[in-house]
Amino acid sequence: MRISTIAFANLRRRKGKALFLASGISIGIGTAVALLSLSGSLREEIGSQLDRFGANIVVTPHSDSLALDYGGISVSGVSFDQHQLSNEDAAGILRIPYRKRLSVVAPKLLGTVEVAGRKTLIAGVDFASELRLKKWWRLNGRAPESATEVLLGYDIARAVSAIEALPGTSGAADQGTAHHSAAPDVFRVTRERVTVGGREHRIAGVIGQTGGPEDRMVFAQLGQVQDLLGRPGQLSVIEVSALCKDCPVEDMVAQIRKELPHANVSAIQQSVRARTEAVDRLTQFSMVVSVVVLAIGALMIFTTMMSAVVERTKEIGVLRAIGFRRTHIIKGLMIEVVIISAVGGVAGWFGGLVASRLALPYFTEAGAQIELRVSLAAFAIAVAMLTGIISSIYPVMRASRLDPSEAVRYV
Amino acid sequence: MREESLAFVAVENVSKTYSDQDSSGGVQVLRDVSVEIAEGEFVCLMGPSGSGKSTLLTILGAMNHPSEGRLVIDGIDVYALSDERRADFRLQYLGFVFQQHHLMPYLNAIENVMLPLATLKLAGIEKRRRALDVLEKVGLGDKASRLPSQLSGGEQGRLAIARALVNDPPLLLADEPTGTLDTKTGDEIMKVFLDLNSLGQTIFMVSHNPANAALVHRVLHIRDGEFEATSDKKDARTVTRLSPAL
């Protein structure tokens, strides 16, 4: 027989009331867990989208001359800018303190060349980096493996008659329109070679239609383009992909700026900022709703405990009369509260997870998942217990202060 | 705080006034009461309703601070102790048998008896052994696992006595222990008290029943917060002094 034995016996005796209290807490905790899990998953999804978006930091030379556009980013004119980037700058980026968070550093040189008699934007790239960055590219063929090979954008390939639609595919029907995407399996490459910058190159592959600027570009190995454009060692832009879920992009930008003081370094955040703000608002809303629901749960515990103290006045008086200290009374009641709260917390966490899993498909794309986070479980149980304890302090203290001589006479 | 005293229990000039909104001075229920009880004595307190019996009992039970005067038990000025120390004192020195028994309905007989031991740092097996010993003493050794609701009125009374005895208290206090029982069951309970007293247990009992009073060493009569008279039915083992009559 210990004080805890009395507490457990009381819980067994008042199962209904204990379950009522536990369910009140579990509803509060469940709501909080469900909302926080949902907003957490939405945040994760945004992180994934950001990764799919490709580069999140772009390094360009300082220049007043803005002549070309690439990927929605204005790139300095290749012929007139004063401060060129170089291969050494790309290597410099890998020296920043946050270098371990860098996923891809993709240097490129942009310029214009004649392709089959028409002026075309050409990009010299490191294909290993570029293909890691441009995960949405779908190649018909392969990436160039030598200096004499090129990769053509879809529109250029069509313009130089390097591809033709496969019969019976949607690509055939789309001939003549550039507004519909053409997957690489709806056309075939019909031409082996093309003249780029006055030199014959082998067409290694064609990029399926993306709807982006690459449709109108030619890609070749960086060294080859530097040679074609007569700009050895020079770069026009360096795209950087950082592991960006909650990463300090602004700090990374600052570090790259410090490393490359002659360059413009900017983070591409605008496209996701609006959605991030929406999730932030959802998170704030979740917190507010959680607090309100928990406050209601706390109020329920408070009133139930107050009535329990009144109901158990005589019992408490007897315990005090036979030698229980105030602290013993507090301990016994608090054990009950902690057990009820912990059960409510566990049930709430589990219920919240189930609810968030059921609700997730309505908020996110297919494939998004609710993670089983130990920290969230621990947080839920801790908050449940804290809520139970705080809301019981006054009733329990009041119980401990009962005058035993009055309490034993209480009817 | 230990004091010099001849008696085991000394109630010294105790008065008790309860505050009352209707009267500015409050309601005085005990007036300068003094009494001494020797070790091994069985004392019965009788008096009409509202005479101050229960107040005196709760003061003796270290639960009700007197407005004036003091209570000394075994040389300890009980109300000079802090609230928590007084709780310890109750556990160590007092056993309380309530009129309604006040057994915990959700605990079985042995758990009810072990209740006062719950706060002690004793091994569970030792607590159980003590509880079984005292259950045997009151004749309930074979009903240790029964809930109070499964016991008769007399058995519940004996169980309440067992709970009061399990901490081996020097002073047993009983508040009309036979008040709600039929004559036969009441006699059964009184026999337990007398058996305990014959083994040296000091008992202070409040009762309305003259038949019970006839069985004890000494009867105190109280009216309007003052002792009226005393009657020694048996050989008193110590000097009894009443106040304010004396």
Side-chain angles (χ1 to χ4, degrees):
Chain A
M1 168 66 66
R2 294 178 179 179
I3 292 173
S4 57
T5 315
I6 303 168
F8 279 109
N10 249 314
L11 289 174
R12 281 198 298 273
R13 178 196 180 195
R14 297 176 166 91
K15 283 192 200 86
K17 196 163 278 185
L19 281 174
F20 174 70
L21 273 180
S23 61
I25 294 173
S26 69
I27 288 169
I29 294 296
T31 306
V33 167
L35 290 173
L36 291 175
S37 297
L38 272 178
S39 55
S41 293
L42 288 175
R43 194 173 290 280
E44 289 289 318
E45 192 193 19
I46 285 174
S48 302
Q49 283 179 346
L50 193 63
D51 283 354
R52 269 183 276 159
F53 186 80
N56 42 21
I57 298 171
V58 175
V59 182
T60 54
H62 271 308
S63 175
D64 296 330
S65 171
L66 299 172
L68 296 170
D69 180 83
Y70 171 76
I73 307 148
S74 293
V75 176
S76 305
V78 290
S79 302
F80 312 108
D81 44 31
Q82 301 297 311
H83 306 281
Q84 289 296 326
L85 295 172
S86 68
N87 291 343
E88 286 71 34
D89 293 328
I93 292 171
L94 294 170
R95 288 194 292 269
I96 66 167
Y98 274 135
R99 57 186 171 276
K100 285 186 179 172
R101 290 184 184 235
L102 297 175
S103 171
V104 180
V105 175
K108 49 185 67 71
L109 177 64
L110 302 171
T112 50
V113 289
E114 292 278 336
V115 178
R118 60 178 68 208
K119 201 168 188 181
T120 305
L121 189 61
I122 187 169
V125 301
D126 169 36
F127 281 100
S129 315
E130 201 65 22
L131 292 176
R132 282 179 64 200
L133 204 61
K134 307 290 167 59
K135 286 176 183 164
W136 61 90
W137 281 8
R138 299 177 68 189
L139 304 186
N140 188 327
R142 55 172 174 77
E145 292 170 350
S146 70
T148 56
E149 291 184 331
V150 292
L151 188 65
L152 300 183
Y154 180 77
D155 291 347
I156 287 293
R158 278 183 59 206
V160 298
S161 304
I163 57 171
E164 67 178 22
L166 291 173
T169 63
S170 60
D174 290 341
Q175 286 287 346
T177 66
H179 302 296
H180 296 83
S181 64
D185 54 353
V186 300
F187 62 85
R188 67 177 173 204
V189 180
T190 54
R191 187 169 166 175
E192 279 193 7
R193 297 186 172 274
V194 65
T195 304
V196 176
R199 298 183 197 173
E200 193 81 354
H201 288 77
R202 179 181 159 78
I203 301 172
V206 175
I207 304 167
Q209 193 176 23
T210 65
E214 52 267 52
D215 285 349
R216 300 178 293 278
M217 291 175 66
V218 175
F219 296 86
Q221 287 192 344
L222 179 59
Q224 173 71 355
V225 175
Q226 286 171 336
D227 187 37
L228 275 175
L229 298 176
R231 298 169 61 194
Q234 289 186 2
L235 300 174
S236 304
V237 60
I238 305 169
E239 289 182 301
V240 179
S241 174
L243 300 169
C244 200
K245 286 175 191 170
D246 300 322
C247 70
V249 171
E250 296 300 340
D251 292 351
M252 296 174 90
V253 166
Q255 288 177 6
I256 295 172
R257 279 188 186 136
K258 193 174 173 187
E259 188 68 34
L260 309 177
H262 54 284
N264 282 324
V265 185
S266 56
I268 305 172
Q269 290 183 313
Q270 296 88 334
S271 60
V272 290
R273 187 166 289 161
R275 189 123 191 240
T276 305
E277 282 174 1
V279 172
D280 285 345
R281 286 199 197 98
L282 176 67
T283 305
Q284 287 166 3
F285 172 74
S286 305
M287 297 299 283
V288 170
V289 171
S290 304
V291 167
V292 170
V293 176
L294 277 175
I296 293 168
L299 203 61
M300 197 174 85
I301 297 168
F302 176 80
T303 50
T304 309
M305 286 303 289
M306 284 298 281
S307 70
V309 167
V310 173
E311 189 185 310
R312 290 158 71 175
T313 294
K314 191 182 286 181
E315 177 187 326
I316 292 164
V318 170
L319 294 176
R320 291 281 283 139
I322 64 175
F324 276 53
R325 290 177 161 206
R326 283 180 176 173
T327 48
H328 296 139
I329 302 293
I330 292 170
K331 184 178 174 184
L333 291 172
M334 277 302 183
I335 287 172
E336 290 180 34
V337 169
V338 165
I339 291 168
I340 290 170
S341 305
V343 169
V346 171
W349 168 72
F350 185 73
L353 274 186
V354 171
S356 58
R357 285 199 176 192
L358 292 175
L360 192 63
Y362 299 101
F363 289 91
T364 62
E365 292 174 0
Q369 292 211 331
I370 298 286
E371 280 183 49
L372 271 178
R373 284 182 289 169
V374 177
S375 59
L376 185 60
F379 178 73
I381 294 166
V383 169
M385 287 167 66
L386 204 63
T387 307
I389 289 169
I390 289 173
S391 51
S392 301
I393 285 175
Y394 178 73
V396 168
M397 293 306 288
R398 190 170 149 162
S400 75
R401 287 200 202 101
L402 283 174
D403 179 349
S405 66
E406 289 295 319
V408 291
R409 284 193 287 173
Y410 181 86
V411 179
Chain B
M1 186 187 299
R2 301 191 71 85
E3 303 283 336
E4 291 294 326
S5 177
L6 291 173
F8 178 61
V9 178
V11 177
E12 298 177 358
N13 308 106
V14 165
S15 296
K16 179 68 184 182
T17 302
Y18 290 111
S19 59
D20 185 1
Q21 289 178 336
D22 296 334
S23 62
S24 57
V27 178
Q28 190 169 28
V29 291
L30 285 179
R31 302 164 196 274
D32 197 24
V33 169
S34 294
V35 64
E36 291 182 350
I37 301 165
E39 235 175 331
E41 197 176 7
F42 193 163
V43 177
C44 179
L45 178 65
M46 298 187 76
S49 293
S51 59
K53 298 188 305 292
S54 295
T55 299
L56 181 57
L57 189 71
T58 54
I59 287 173
L60 278 166
M63 293 188 282
N64 193 359
H65 209 295
S67 307
E68 289 176 43
R70 64 178 194 158
L71 169 71
V72 179
I73 297 177
D74 197 22
I76 300 168
D77 185 348
V78 175
Y79 287 98
L81 300 172
S82 68
D83 187 82
E84 294 293 71
R85 292 292 303 279
R86 208 147 17 95
D88 296 343
F89 177 86
R90 286 196 290 272
L91 182 61
Q92 190 181 347
Y93 274 85
L94 304 176
F96 221 110
V97 180
F98 302 97
Q99 182 178 12
Q100 306 288 341
H101 309 316
H102 293 337
L103 298 166
M104 302 298 162
Y106 52 92
L107 300 177
N108 63 25
I110 195 166
E111 287 170 338
N112 262 290
V113 174
M114 285 195 288
L115 212 50
L117 308 177
T119 62
L120 297 180
K121 287 178 180 166
L122 284 174
I125 196 164
E126 171 62 12
K127 291 178 181 177
R128 185 165 281 272
R129 187 192 63 74
R130 278 203 206 179
L132 270 175
D133 282 353
V134 78
L135 277 173
E136 293 285 351
K137 199 186 270 187
V138 298
L140 290 176
D142 58 336
K143 294 178 177 172
S145 59
R146 297 217 183 155
L147 290 170
S149 59
Q150 296 169 323
L151 298 174
S152 68
E155 288 170 334
Q156 287 183 19
R158 281 188 277 154
L159 182 58
I161 295 170
R163 185 180 64 190
L165 291 174
V166 74
N167 53 333
D168 200 17
L171 177 60
L172 188 60
L173 302 170
D175 186 8
E176 300 191 43
T178 63
T180 58
L181 304 175
D182 59 64
T183 308
K184 187 183 168 207
T185 312
D187 290 347
E188 185 188 327
I189 296 300
M190 269 311 287
K191 184 176 180 312
V192 175
F193 278 115
L194 289 167
D195 288 347
L196 289 168
N197 179 245
S198 69
L199 296 169
Q201 178 69 55
T202 309
I203 303 173
F204 186 92
M205 177 176 73
V206 169
S207 180
H208 276 118
N209 190 341
N212 291 343
L215 300 169
V216 305
H217 294 135
R218 184 158 51 112
V219 180
L220 304 173
H221 294 274
I222 191 168
R223 180 182 289 273
D224 296 332
E226 294 176 341
F227 286 125
E228 286 187 316
T230 182
S231 50
D232 293 344
K233 302 293 179 183
K234 287 185 172 181
D235 293 336
R237 299 179 193 184
T238 189
V239 178
T240 303
R241 190 173 66 239
L242 297 180
S243 175
L246 296 176

